[in-house]
Amino acid sequence: MLGSVVPKTKLEVIETILAMYPHAHCELIHHNPTQLAIAVILSAQTTDQAVNRITPGLFAAFPTLQDLAHAPLEAIEFHLKSIGLYRAKAVNIQIFAQQVLTRHNGDLPSDFDALVKLAGVGRKTANVIQAVAFNLPALAVDTHVDRVAHRLHLVPLKADLLKTEQRLKRLIPKELWIHAHHAILFFGRYHCQARTPQCHTCPLYAECRFPKKEHFAKNNA
Ligand code: SF4
């Protein structure tokens, strides 16, 4: 029988995921907060792997924010061509660099409200920056976290990204937010994938409300 006989509570579901991925971490290549921010901006609607293939070249070509802020746009685009929306992303990271220089003297702020005012930085990106670059309690909801939270009934079926973030923050102790974000993301990326979830080996099968779980459990067994 897959999963537990007595369904786990929502917190026990989270604890199971935390235990599965005790060392979950940010997989985007970066060496400082601004490189992290740029990598997260570039990761919109593409994979971390795709971003990691281009950022070493990008960071080598533009080692400082000044380099990025003053580069010809085509030179930035050249490094981003293999990822989706590269033209818009090139504009965003250049404006982002200019804004960090002019508004914050070149130091990326850790304040959420200041972060979301920067080009290309939305709620998810700001949360990732706070958590990964500044070790501040934050819980980013990306596509993986959102999918897992819904499949495992951690949030109401119709919860949007903001409601999902708020619900998870109420559910999870604050000191675990950073680890929970990474662990749930790993669970979604490596176990409960969008198209090929590993339902046949899932320790949370009983708690899952994904309508196709039986199908995937049978076909992968
Ligand atoms: Fe994901 Fe399948 Fe587990 Fe449900 S049973 S959480 S869909 S892997």
Side-chain angles (χ1 to χ4, degrees), residues 2-14:
L2 283 164
S4 54
V5 177
V6 179
K8 295 177 172 68
T9 65
K10 288 180 171 51
L11 191 54
E12 286 170 340
V13 167
I14 301 282

PDB file of all heavy atoms in Angstrom, residues 2-14:
ATOM      1  N   LEU A   2       0.535   2.189  -0.879  1.00  0.00           N
ATOM      2  CA  LEU A   2       1.322   3.403  -0.951  1.00  0.00           C
ATOM      3  C   LEU A   2       0.909   4.376   0.137  1.00  0.00           C
ATOM      4  O   LEU A   2      -0.274   4.498   0.453  1.00  0.00           O
ATOM      5  CB  LEU A   2       1.101   4.081  -2.303  1.00  0.00           C
ATOM      6  CG  LEU A   2       1.826   3.466  -3.495  1.00  0.00           C
ATOM      7  CD1 LEU A   2       1.224   3.987  -4.781  1.00  0.00           C
ATOM      8  CD2 LEU A   2       3.297   3.754  -3.434  1.00  0.00           C
ATOM      9  N   GLY A   3       1.867   5.090   0.707  1.00  0.00           N
ATOM     10  CA  GLY A   3       1.558   6.140   1.675  1.00  0.00           C
ATOM     11  C   GLY A   3       1.089   5.571   2.999  1.00  0.00           C
ATOM     12  O   GLY A   3       1.114   4.366   3.250  1.00  0.00           O
ATOM     13  N   SER A   4       0.627   6.436   3.859  1.00  0.00           N
ATOM     14  CA  SER A   4       0.233   6.024   5.198  1.00  0.00           C
ATOM     15  C   SER A   4      -1.226   5.614   5.224  1.00  0.00           C
ATOM     16  O   SER A   4      -2.016   5.991   4.370  1.00  0.00           O
ATOM     17  CB  SER A   4       0.454   7.194   6.148  1.00  0.00           C
ATOM     18  OG  SER A   4      -0.228   8.313   5.653  1.00  0.00           O
ATOM     19  N   VAL A   5      -1.612   4.817   6.236  1.00  0.00           N
ATOM     20  CA  VAL A   5      -3.009   4.410   6.379  1.00  0.00           C
ATOM     21  C   VAL A   5      -3.803   5.566   6.971  1.00  0.00           C
ATOM     22  O   VAL A   5      -4.877   5.914   6.489  1.00  0.00           O
ATOM     23  CB  VAL A   5      -3.109   3.156   7.272  1.00  0.00           C
ATOM     24  CG1 VAL A   5      -4.572   2.787   7.487  1.00  0.00           C
ATOM     25  CG2 VAL A   5      -2.344   2.000   6.638  1.00  0.00           C
ATOM     26  N   VAL A   6      -3.274   6.153   8.036  1.00  0.00           N
ATOM     27  CA  VAL A   6      -3.905   7.329   8.629  1.00  0.00           C
ATOM     28  C   VAL A   6      -3.298   8.556   7.950  1.00  0.00           C
ATOM     29  O   VAL A   6      -2.091   8.775   8.035  1.00  0.00           O
ATOM     30  CB  VAL A   6      -3.644   7.396  10.148  1.00  0.00           C
ATOM     31  CG1 VAL A   6      -4.295   8.638  10.731  1.00  0.00           C
ATOM     32  CG2 VAL A   6      -4.132   6.128  10.817  1.00  0.00           C
ATOM     33  N   PRO A   7      -4.116   9.337   7.249  1.00  0.00           N
ATOM     34  CA  PRO A   7      -3.537  10.486   6.534  1.00  0.00           C
ATOM     35  C   PRO A   7      -2.794  11.433   7.470  1.00  0.00           C
ATOM     36  O   PRO A   7      -3.203  11.654   8.607  1.00  0.00           O
ATOM     37  CB  PRO A   7      -4.770  11.169   5.927  1.00  0.00           C
ATOM     38  CG  PRO A   7      -5.796  10.108   5.851  1.00  0.00           C
ATOM     39  CD  PRO A   7      -5.548   9.203   7.013  1.00  0.00           C
ATOM     40  N   LYS A   8      -1.704  11.949   6.972  1.00  0.00           N
ATOM     41  CA  LYS A   8      -0.896  12.886   7.755  1.00  0.00           C
ATOM     42  C   LYS A   8      -1.600  14.241   7.827  1.00  0.00           C
ATOM     43  O   LYS A   8      -2.374  14.602   6.929  1.00  0.00           O
ATOM     44  CB  LYS A   8       0.465  13.078   7.081  1.00  0.00           C
ATOM     45  CG  LYS A   8       1.331  11.826   7.051  1.00  0.00           C
ATOM     46  CD  LYS A   8       2.608  12.132   6.296  1.00  0.00           C
ATOM     47  CE  LYS A   8       3.618  10.998   6.377  1.00  0.00           C
ATOM     48  NZ  LYS A   8       3.193   9.792   5.649  1.00  0.00           N
ATOM     49  N   THR A   9      -1.298  14.979   8.890  1.00  0.00           N
ATOM     50  CA  THR A   9      -1.762  16.369   8.948  1.00  0.00           C
ATOM     51  C   THR A   9      -0.938  17.184   7.945  1.00  0.00           C
ATOM     52  O   THR A   9       0.102  16.723   7.455  1.00  0.00           O
ATOM     53  CB  THR A   9      -1.542  16.964  10.344  1.00  0.00           C
ATOM     54  OG1 THR A   9      -0.128  17.021  10.582  1.00  0.00           O
ATOM     55  CG2 THR A   9      -2.217  16.124  11.423  1.00  0.00           C
ATOM     56  N   LYS A  10      -1.384  18.395   7.678  1.00  0.00           N
ATOM     57  CA  LYS A  10      -0.649  19.239   6.728  1.00  0.00           C
ATOM     58  C   LYS A  10       0.786  19.477   7.205  1.00  0.00           C
ATOM     59  O   LYS A  10       1.720  19.472   6.423  1.00  0.00           O
ATOM     60  CB  LYS A  10      -1.387  20.566   6.536  1.00  0.00           C
ATOM     61  CG  LYS A  10      -2.675  20.429   5.722  1.00  0.00           C
ATOM     62  CD  LYS A  10      -3.361  21.764   5.575  1.00  0.00           C
ATOM     63  CE  LYS A  10      -4.538  21.732   4.600  1.00  0.00           C
ATOM     64  NZ  LYS A  10      -5.512  20.697   4.820  1.00  0.00           N
ATOM     65  N   LEU A  11       0.939  19.683   8.496  1.00  0.00           N
ATOM     66  CA  LEU A  11       2.285  19.925   9.015  1.00  0.00           C
ATOM     67  C   LEU A  11       3.145  18.661   8.887  1.00  0.00           C
ATOM     68  O   LEU A  11       4.336  18.737   8.571  1.00  0.00           O
ATOM     69  CB  LEU A  11       2.223  20.388  10.483  1.00  0.00           C
ATOM     70  CG  LEU A  11       3.534  20.925  11.045  1.00  0.00           C
ATOM     71  CD1 LEU A  11       4.102  22.051  10.172  1.00  0.00           C
ATOM     72  CD2 LEU A  11       3.337  21.445  12.474  1.00  0.00           C
ATOM     73  N   GLU A  12       2.531  17.510   9.088  1.00  0.00           N
ATOM     74  CA  GLU A  12       3.274  16.254   8.913  1.00  0.00           C
ATOM     75  C   GLU A  12       3.663  16.042   7.451  1.00  0.00           C
ATOM     76  O   GLU A  12       4.713  15.473   7.153  1.00  0.00           O
ATOM     77  CB  GLU A  12       2.433  15.073   9.428  1.00  0.00           C
ATOM     78  CG  GLU A  12       2.359  15.015  10.941  1.00  0.00           C
ATOM     79  CD  GLU A  12       1.333  14.008  11.458  1.00  0.00           C
ATOM     80  OE1 GLU A  12       0.409  13.624  10.695  1.00  0.00           O
ATOM     81  OE2 GLU A  12       1.435  13.613  12.626  1.00  0.00           O
ATOM     82  N   VAL A  13       2.811  16.508   6.550  1.00  0.00           N
ATOM     83  CA  VAL A  13       3.154  16.440   5.124  1.00  0.00           C
ATOM     84  C   VAL A  13       4.415  17.270   4.861  1.00  0.00           C
ATOM     85  O   VAL A  13       5.365  16.812   4.215  1.00  0.00           O
ATOM     86  CB  VAL A  13       1.978  16.958   4.252  1.00  0.00           C
ATOM     87  CG1 VAL A  13       2.424  17.202   2.820  1.00  0.00           C
ATOM     88  CG2 VAL A  13       0.826  15.962   4.288  1.00  0.00           C
ATOM     89  N   ILE A  14       4.419  18.475   5.395  1.00  0.00           N
ATOM     90  CA  ILE A  14       5.599  19.345   5.238  1.00  0.00           C
ATOM     91  C   ILE A  14       6.827  18.679   5.863  1.00  0.00           C
ATOM     92  O   ILE A  14       7.914  18.670   5.270  1.00  0.00           O
ATOM     93  CB  ILE A  14       5.364  20.710   5.936  1.00  0.00           C
ATOM     94  CG1 ILE A  14       4.148  21.419   5.362  1.00  0.00           C
ATOM     95  CG2 ILE A  14       6.619  21.581   5.867  1.00  0.00           C
ATOM     96  CD1 ILE A  14       4.340  22.094   4.053  1.00  0.00           C
TER      97      ILE A  14
END
